[in-house]
Amino acid sequence: MNLILLGPPGAGKGTQAVQIAEAFGLLHLSSGDILRAERKARTELGQKAQVLMDRGALVPDDLILAMMVEHIGRAAERNGFLLDGFPRTLAQAQGLKSRLESAKMRLDHVVSVEVEDSEIVTRLTGRLYCPECGRTYHEKFSPPQVAGVCDVNGEKLLRRKDDTPEVVRQRLETYHRETKPLIAYYGEQGLLRSVSGVGEIDEVTARIKEACGA
Ligand code: ADP
Ligand code: ADP
């Protein structure tokens, strides 16, 4: 099964993607995580992406598309892939469609996780992550067992540089302008399943599974 999780920054895509990928045996591909790994490794792509990411702007479509297509190629050994954070523009969605067609692959479901802007700001400004394993927490809604450290490996949790109120506003604006049109795009193709992203994390996971026919 090949899935896309669509939604604004902070909708819970990363949190849900981990659960859904494990439940269905899918390769979880988060464009944001892949870009952060490129930055950490100081690759050419990582260096190009750095300034754009820190100010909440999108990385150019051609770079993202090439990066994600390479990773999707590795999904063959799994039950499929789960895309999180990609595609984010119509050009990326159209590029993905033609690459999948050439590889004789197809999308099964595009799940749109819906959360209002005011809730997004609260979620992102309280978000913490582990720089070692990438696991995401929230200081109030999903706290680690011991304040400030990762449950998995005891690493000190960090805040993302782009989770400040000003950059979050910028990212939301970018979302409404560039990414929201994908809801209609996938709706026209009969692939869209909308779920509410509000409520307990496990409740949202159950809604997504149901939307995928599980
Ligand atoms: P995205 O990948 O869509 O940007 P994340 O999965 O990183 O979103 O979630 C953003 C923040 O919201 C994190 O701090 C996460 O712990 C928290 N969060 C995720 N799901 C929920 C939920 N259902 N209710 C409250 N907070 C949530
Ligand atoms: P979130 O889901 O919390 O908004 P991500 O981790 O998905 O954040 O993305 C962080 C940043 O990485 C984005 O603000 C953008 O600069 C860049 N990025 C991630 N995915 C894409 C994409 N598909 N297209 C362009 N830029 C991207």
Side-chain angles (χ1 to χ4, degrees):
M1 182 158 61
N2 295 323
L3 304 179
I4 294 179
L5 275 191
L6 207 62
K13 301 183 299 296
T15 303
Q16 295 300 333
V18 172
Q19 309 295 330
I20 299 295
E22 194 182 311
F24 295 148
L26 308 177
L27 179 66
H28 171 203
L29 296 174
S30 153
S31 51
D33 286 352
I34 297 171
L35 285 171
R36 280 183 288 277
E38 296 276 342
R39 283 177 65 161
K40 211 169 167 183
R42 307 201 122 268
T43 63
E44 200 183 326
L45 171 60
Q47 294 190 21
K48 276 187 192 152
Q50 188 150 343
V51 190
L52 296 164
M53 291 173 79
D54 286 347
R55 64 163 203 256
L58 294 182
V59 175
D61 290 332
D62 53 339
L63 297 181
I64 291 288
L65 196 58
M67 176 184 95
M68 294 307 286
V69 165
E70 196 192 319
H71 283 267
I72 287 171
R74 297 180 194 146
E77 302 130 36
R78 309 289 281 276
N79 291 340
F81 58 76
L82 169 52
L83 303 179
D84 152 18
F86 169 85
R88 244 176 168 94
T89 65
L90 268 178
Q92 291 179 17
Q94 286 159 349
L96 173 68
K97 187 166 193 279
S98 75
R99 303 301 178 93
L100 290 178
E101 277 166 7
S102 334
K104 306 235 176 323
M105 293 165 92
R106 67 183 175 87
L107 293 171
D108 295 286
H109 308 282
V110 177
V111 182
S112 168
V113 182
E114 299 182 345
V115 178
E116 298 220 340
D117 286 8
S118 55
E119 166 83 8
I120 295 291
V121 178
T122 315
R123 285 192 186 184
L124 290 184
T125 51
R127 172 159 70 179
L128 298 166
Y129 80 101
C130 171
E132 223 18 73
C133 71
R135 185 163 167 184
T136 300
Y137 300 85
H138 188 281
E139 53 192 12
K140 284 206 200 87
F141 307 139
S142 180
Q145 281 159 19
V146 178
V149 299
C150 181
D151 292 349
V152 181
N153 52 29
E155 281 288 320
K156 189 169 180 288
L157 299 177
L158 302 178
R159 265 179 216 284
R160 269 170 52 177
K161 216 172 171 176
D162 56 348
D163 281 344
T164 59
E166 310 80 73
V167 182
V168 168
R169 263 193 295 280
Q170 182 57 50
R171 285 158 65 202
L172 274 172
E173 234 179 86
T174 306
Y175 168 78
H176 285 289
R177 194 179 60 242
E178 304 280 352
T179 312
K180 226 175 162 187
L182 297 188
I183 293 179
Y185 174 80
Y186 286 118
E188 281 157 19
Q189 295 175 40
L191 292 171
L192 191 78
R193 329 278 176 243
S194 297
V195 302
S196 163
V198 180
E200 292 297 322
I201 290 173
D202 290 351
E203 280 169 22
V204 180
T205 309
R207 285 179 205 141
I208 297 174
K209 285 185 185 164
E210 196 187 340
C212 295

